[in-house]
Amino acid sequence: MSNQQNYTFGDSERAIERLAWLAEVFAPTSTRLLDGLSKVDGGALDLGCGPGYTTELIHQRLAPTWTIGLDASARMVELARARTQLPLQFIERDVTALPFPAAPAALIYARFLLTHLTAPAQRLRDWAAGLAPGGRLVLEETAFMRSEYPAFQSYYAHVQALQAHYGQNMLIGAHMAELCQAAGYAQIDAKVAERPVPAAQMARLHAANLPTWSQDPFARATFDAKHLHELTEELLEIAAGRLSAPPVSVGSGYVIATRA
Ligand SMILES: C[S@@+](CC[C@H](N)C(=O)[O-])C[C@H]1O[C@@H](n2cnc3c(N)ncnc32)[C@H](O)[C@@H]1O
């Protein structure tokens, strides 16, 4: 990936399966957001589309004239193409490299991507060039994840430190509105909504992710491998329902903006 981007969550089979679970957990929030938008008069780009769940939602809910998912991972793109029955296009592309194919688009959407990019303000400024006049930028990211339970707290502290090392922000959903404004967009709407997500669902997502990011060079050099192993085991126990933990309070943030 260009611009020294470092996606630490990988594209292994486990990472791909995790994205299916992620899509299940966040389908209600994303569907509600998209259903609140007027139909797209033109084409739509789904940046960092992964296996294409969000790309499908955009097509189904907003009926763009064309819908293209872009992802830097060849495996994700291949899987998205194989999975979908819908008339979508998926292209292998690092979204920090411009121009976007088929641009300008009437909608540029990205879910759980900005959190993985360094220099997000610069990325947002660049993406404006791919947006048609009057087109909308729609971003969804996590603003907070709160739990009293030590295993979750430890998991979040580690991921936050790892992402911060690469100039990324695990909780960028709390800052998107100001980032968009600084990047020259005019805000149409922005919100952070809290929702309790069952601990087992969150633990399943995290336990699937931990073995991937713990192999990152910074993680290996900085974190205690034994602690991470025990943390994975504990998260698996919570995921399986053998350990009980209170729901995780998840803050989902969105921004809808247009070129100023
Ligand atoms: C957490 S997943 C989210 C997938 C999808 N948006 C969703 O919400 O289901 C992040 C995706 O962004 C992709 N990605 C990360 N950095 C990227 C970049 N610089 N350019 C394009 N895709 C990128 C990864 O390959 C991965 O598929």
Side-chain angles (χ1 to χ4, degrees), residues 1 7 19 48-50 54 71-72 93-95 111-113 117:
M1 290 179 193
Y7 182 62
L19 289 181
C49 62
T54 40
D71 202 284
R93 187 64 62 98
D94 181 340
V95 300
R111 183 179 76 175
F112 305 141
L113 170 73
L117 301 180

Side-chain angles (χ1 to χ4, degrees), residues 23-194:
E24 259 173 52
V25 173
F26 290 97
T29 7
S30 298
T31 304
R32 203 173 316 121
L33 169 63
L34 295 180
D35 283 351
L37 300 177
S38 55
K39 297 278 182 272
V40 174
D41 185 16
L45 288 169
D46 181 14
L47 310 186
C49 62
Y53 300 107
T54 40
T55 327
E56 289 184 328
L57 272 183
I58 292 166
H59 172 83
Q60 288 162 334
R61 300 289 163 173
L62 297 175
T65 49
W66 49 260
T67 313
I68 301 178
L70 303 178
D71 202 284
S73 157
R75 286 193 73 182
M76 294 286 184
V77 167
E78 201 181 306
L79 178 75
R81 285 181 188 146
R83 235 185 33 78
T84 195
Q85 308 284 318
L86 301 174
L88 310 173
Q89 241 188 300
F90 293 98
I91 301 175
E92 184 186 338
R93 187 64 62 98
D94 181 340
V95 300
T96 65
L98 293 168
F100 292 142
L107 178 83
I108 293 183
Y109 171 92
R111 183 179 76 175
F112 305 141
L113 170 73
L114 205 61
T115 181
H116 296 292
L117 301 180
T118 58
Q122 184 59 48
R123 304 282 78 83
L124 291 172
R125 262 192 294 279
D126 291 350
W127 294 350
L131 208 53
R136 286 166 293 176
L137 174 75
V138 177
L139 305 170
E140 284 191 84
E141 295 287 345
T142 302
F144 59 81
M145 287 180 283
R146 294 182 189 135
S147 170
E148 304 281 293
Y149 197 93
F152 285 103
Q153 290 176 351
S154 176
Y155 181 88
Y156 299 136
H158 281 85
V159 175
Q160 207 156 7
L162 173 63
Q163 291 201 233
H165 172 74
Y166 290 111
Q168 306 164 358
N169 187 340
M170 182 178 84
L171 302 175
I172 202 158
H175 307 284
M176 285 188 303
E178 70 223 39
L179 281 171
C180 284
Q181 200 181 15
Y185 291 87
Q187 183 177 303
I188 298 171
D189 192 14
K191 191 173 171 184
V192 173
E194 190 278 341

Side-chain angles (χ1 to χ4, degrees), residues 203-221:
R204 183 167 76 152
L205 288 173
H206 302 336
N209 218 1
L210 210 160
T212 307
W213 61 249
S214 62
Q215 294 311 307
D216 168 87
F218 171 80
R220 285 170 70 104

